[in-house]
Amino acid sequence: MNYLAHSILSFTNGQLVGNMIADFIKNNERENFPLEIQEGIKLHRFIDSFTDSHPAVSEAKKIFSPLVRLYSGAFVDVAFDYFVAHYYPIEDLKQHSLKTYKILWENEKWLPEDYKRMLIRMEQDDWLTNYRTDRGIKFSMQNVLNKAKYLEKNIPVFDLFLKNKKELQFYFNKFFPDIVSECTKTFKLM
């Protein structure tokens, strides 16, 4: 899952911080953070592992794999954030986004420098809310292409998303209730 899903699947402020910064820290650095942020890092890794092993995600990857091969999971993550954004009313999504940015900045001392630089852009362009739009998903998919070492930057992956939106929605609907349930059982009561 991508940034929006990770933020929504956090149950405490500390978990949110850890969940959002997990890709920016090494596993052996985890103990440098307060326990609640460590739980968020564990939550992030749990979400990634659960997502990668879910049968519906495996099927969704097949849509992207002919174009982007091993990067198909990254594009499914972005595509699924589009559906996460539509899972909630727009006003709830906007409130969630604002609250997320606020909590992250309140915990700035725990944010890695690379993450802070990205968070500035994330907040300015309101990535979390804009995952709801085709334009926002196109931007995010292009970001993945730009960062990918072994992919051409002009692969029509967004067109593939648009063409297969209904099928991707089907796989998301099979997957999302499972991840919410598993995260709630495993991390909400911590």
Side-chain angles (χ1 to χ4, degrees):
M1 302 298 292
N2 211 26
Y3 293 113
L4 179 59
H6 279 287
S7 68
I8 284 177
L9 293 171
S10 299
F11 303 102
T12 68
N13 292 355
Q15 282 183 357
L16 173 67
V17 173
N19 206 343
M20 297 297 274
I21 66 170
D23 286 337
F24 290 79
I25 61 164
K26 294 181 175 101
N27 204 32
N28 63 355
E29 297 172 332
R30 188 173 66 205
E31 284 135 20
N32 299 336
F33 295 91
L35 288 175
E36 200 174 344
I37 293 176
Q38 290 182 42
E39 287 302 317
I41 295 166
K42 288 179 193 172
L43 173 58
H44 181 101
R45 300 211 165 104
F46 176 85
I47 291 167
D48 285 356
S49 177
F50 185 89
T51 300
D52 290 343
S53 65
H54 197 281
V57 174
S58 296
E59 291 301 311
K61 286 179 182 179
K62 291 177 184 177
I63 292 169
F64 292 103
S65 62
L67 277 184
V68 296
R69 299 174 304 282
L70 295 175
Y71 290 91
S72 62
F75 291 100
V76 170
D77 288 348
V78 172
F80 277 14
D81 261 9
Y82 174 86
F83 301 115
V84 170
H86 284 86
Y87 202 78
Y88 301 96
I90 184 65
E91 287 308 315
D92 291 352
L93 179 62
K94 286 179 183 178
Q95 284 182 336
H96 171 79
S97 298
L98 292 173
K99 181 181 175 187
T100 297
Y101 303 134
K102 181 177 183 285
I103 291 167
L104 290 168
W105 285 118
E106 286 171 350
N107 290 276
E108 182 177 1
K109 72 179 183 177
W110 300 112
L111 305 180
E113 289 302 317
D114 289 350
Y115 184 83
K116 281 192 241 184
R117 285 191 290 278
M118 187 199 68
L119 180 57
I120 291 168
R121 293 189 318 274
M122 180 187 282
E123 184 177 27
Q124 284 174 343
D125 295 333
D126 194 8
W127 293 2
L128 298 180
T129 301
N130 282 318
Y131 282 124
R132 191 178 177 97
T133 67
D134 286 349
R135 182 184 61 82
I137 292 301
K138 183 177 184 180
F139 173 83
S140 294
M141 289 185 169
Q142 189 59 54
N143 251 357
V144 174
L145 284 173
N146 292 342
K147 291 177 185 174
K149 287 183 181 181
Y150 305 108
L151 292 179
E152 297 291 324
K153 306 309 175 211
N154 60 353
I155 296 172
V157 69
F158 177 69
D159 295 336
L160 192 63
F161 165 76
L162 291 176
K163 181 180 173 188
N164 293 281
K165 200 185 269 189
K166 285 185 180 176
E167 188 176 357
L168 288 164
Q169 173 85 60
F170 171 79
Y171 294 129
F172 171 80
N173 290 345
K174 292 180 83 71
F175 163 75
F176 195 62
D178 291 349
I179 189 75
V180 171
S181 174
E182 289 301 312
C183 287
T184 301
K185 279 193 293 190
T186 308
F187 288 90
K188 188 169 186 176
L189 300 177
M190 293 189 140

